Amino acid sequence: MAQLQAARDERVEAAIAHWAPRFTSQGVDMNDFRAVTSAVERWDDWLPAWVANGDLHAGLALEAQERGRTLTAGEAWVRAALSYHFAKFVWMVDMARYEDAQARAIAAIREAHRLLDPTAERIEIPLDGFTMAGNLRRPPGIAKPPLVLLLAGLDSTKEEFFGWEQVFLDRGLATFSFDGPGQGETGLHSSIYPDYERAVSPVLDALDGFERIGVAGVSLGGYYAPRAAAYEKRIRAAAGISGPFNFGDCWGSLPQPTRETIAHHTGASSVDEAREKAAELDLADAAPRIDQPLLVITGKLDRLIPWQQSERIAKAAPNATWVLFEEGNHVCNNIPYKYRPLTADWLAEQLR
């Protein structure tokens, strides 16, 4: 084991060091995380190792389905979707294999919805010649619930959000998790939009049956949510967790896999150009326009997006509340029992 640790690719080390709490808070079993990552030496092997883990859980799901064990099967499909997603989340080595893992994640979460939440609805929304895809879920027994748009970040996608959605559903809020430009399956045909409100507006047009609407974004989604609220006034309240005020200013703290992912999702031809494109994600003009209630959450131990970035958002927005968890890491994924209920409770209160 010592020899393996010494020989590991720095990208593998970075993925383990930065994102272990995220994997487990989203629903990856800690035993799976340890088993998969302990066997990965080269970054090239990261995706196939996690795809194999996804296949294991997909096999358990199929076996449970054959026995009529619907709940067990649905839970296994959620675990499969997470494994397929995390196989490729910042893995820019072979895009054909990346797309295959993406397709597996989409198929797995579709099966999870079929078995665990049959009312879940996939909605496709056209934008600028490509199509955005999202999953709409509704709380049971509520005819006209408020709606929360759940915005992913640089490398998260709707397939990662089953557990995150449940936090809102349990509080009587409908959720719409979607892949916007440069994200998830939509990102296969588009690049990041610094003016993310251009993606949010057609989403709200498509979901015009909802009257009370909030938005919550994590990581880079913590930039997208305030940005959308600044220019899209159908949003009544917004929450951003560990988002940047200026993404380019965070470049020095970002690990290499994240820099490569930025290059891919911005359509940059080089990492240097990616840094320039990251700097285009800036809230200097937008933040003062946010007159809706805004909740900004971050952790003081965040090694990806320094906590001062979120503080800048809160200081610039006229109606913001800033929460700094001293012990929190990036997105406070090491204390999900604090930031998740806080976000959902606050939005439920604002939308009611």
Side-chain angles (χ1 to χ4, degrees):
M1 179 62 71
Q3 290 179 345
L4 174 62
Q5 294 287 346
R8 265 188 180 154
D9 188 313
E10 65 177 9
R11 291 170 174 80
V12 177
E13 294 289 2
I16 294 171
H18 286 285
W19 291 298
R22 172 179 165 189
F23 279 52
T24 55
S25 68
Q26 296 291 50
V28 173
D29 188 278
M30 176 57 79
N31 298 290
D32 274 6
F33 184 82
R34 289 171 176 163
V36 174
T37 59
S38 66
V40 175
E41 178 179 346
R42 302 180 309 129
W43 186 234
D44 286 2
D45 299 329
W46 180 272
L47 180 141
W50 278 105
V51 166
N53 195 68
D55 290 345
L56 182 152
H57 288 288
L60 293 174
L62 292 171
E63 180 181 328
Q65 285 176 218
E66 291 176 359
R67 295 173 178 267
R69 297 169 180 170
T70 302
L71 178 59
T72 297
E75 292 171 343
W77 280 121
V78 172
R79 296 193 301 272
L82 288 168
S83 288
Y84 293 139
H85 163 66
F86 283 122
K88 51 79 185 173
F89 77 127
V90 290
W91 195 84
M92 302 292 132
V93 178
D94 180 333
M95 297 316 297
R97 299 177 79 176
Y98 177 103
E99 292 184 21
D100 175 71
Q102 176 73 72
R104 290 172 186 248
I106 294 168
I109 204 66
R110 183 183 298 118
E111 288 299 299
H113 287 156
R114 181 177 65 84
L115 296 172
L116 301 179
D117 185 0
T119 66
E121 181 182 357
R122 177 181 168 91
I123 297 176
E124 297 183 351
I125 302 165
L127 174 66
D128 295 344
F130 56 89
T131 300
M132 299 185 293
N135 297 321
L136 176 63
R137 298 178 66 193
R138 301 173 177 86
I142 301 177
K144 292 186 176 182
L147 172 70
V148 178
L149 305 183
L150 297 182
L151 306 187
L154 174 70
D155 50 63
S156 51
T157 71
K158 62 189 183 304
E159 291 77 36
E160 188 182 338
F161 282 179
F162 189 88
W164 179 225
E165 292 162 355
Q166 197 62 48
V167 178
F168 296 88
L169 294 166
D170 289 343
R171 289 160 174 78
L173 304 170
T175 62
F176 186 68
S177 302
F178 72 99
D179 296 333
Q183 297 172 307
E185 64 177 289
T186 306
L188 299 177
H189 310 288
S190 63
S191 298
I192 284 174
Y193 280 19
D195 51 348
Y196 198 81
E197 68 276 8
R198 286 173 54 202
V200 170
S201 291
V203 167
L204 296 183
D205 292 342
L207 301 173
D208 61 357
F210 292 92
E211 297 177 354
R212 294 165 292 159
I213 299 168
V215 61
V218 294
S219 192
L220 191 55
Y223 162 89
Y224 292 142
R227 171 81 199 200
Y231 299 102
E232 180 47 85
K233 296 307 177 181
R234 285 176 288 182
I235 295 172
R236 293 194 182 185
I241 302 97
S242 293
F245 186 92
N246 181 288
F247 198 27
D249 289 349
C250 306
W251 192 262
S253 60
L254 300 175
Q256 188 62 23
T258 298
R259 295 178 181 184
E260 293 168 357
T261 303
I262 294 170
H264 175 77
H265 288 307
T266 58
S269 59
S270 68
V271 173
D272 288 339
E273 185 185 357
R275 183 173 189 171
E276 296 175 3
K277 287 184 174 292
E280 295 175 7
L281 281 76
D282 183 273
L283 290 174
D285 292 333
R289 299 172 181 261
I290 306 170
D291 51 9
Q292 308 97 313
L294 172 66
L295 176 65
V296 182
I297 301 172
T298 195
K300 201 166 189 178
L301 303 182
D302 192 333
R303 293 187 294 164
L304 298 173
I305 307 296
W307 61 267
Q308 294 90 341
Q309 289 281 313
S310 294
E311 183 183 36
R312 288 181 68 188
I313 298 173
K315 285 183 175 180
N319 196 14
T321 299
W322 186 53
V323 177
L324 175 68
F325 287 109
E326 294 284 335
E327 74 278 34
N329 65 2
H330 185 54
V331 191
C332 297
N333 276 323
N334 61 330
I335 47 170
Y337 47 83
K338 290 188 176 182
Y339 92 83
R340 288 186 170 193
L342 171 60
T343 304
D345 287 340
W346 183 86
L347 277 168
E349 292 161 3
Q350 300 302 318
L351 298 178
R352 290 187 183 127

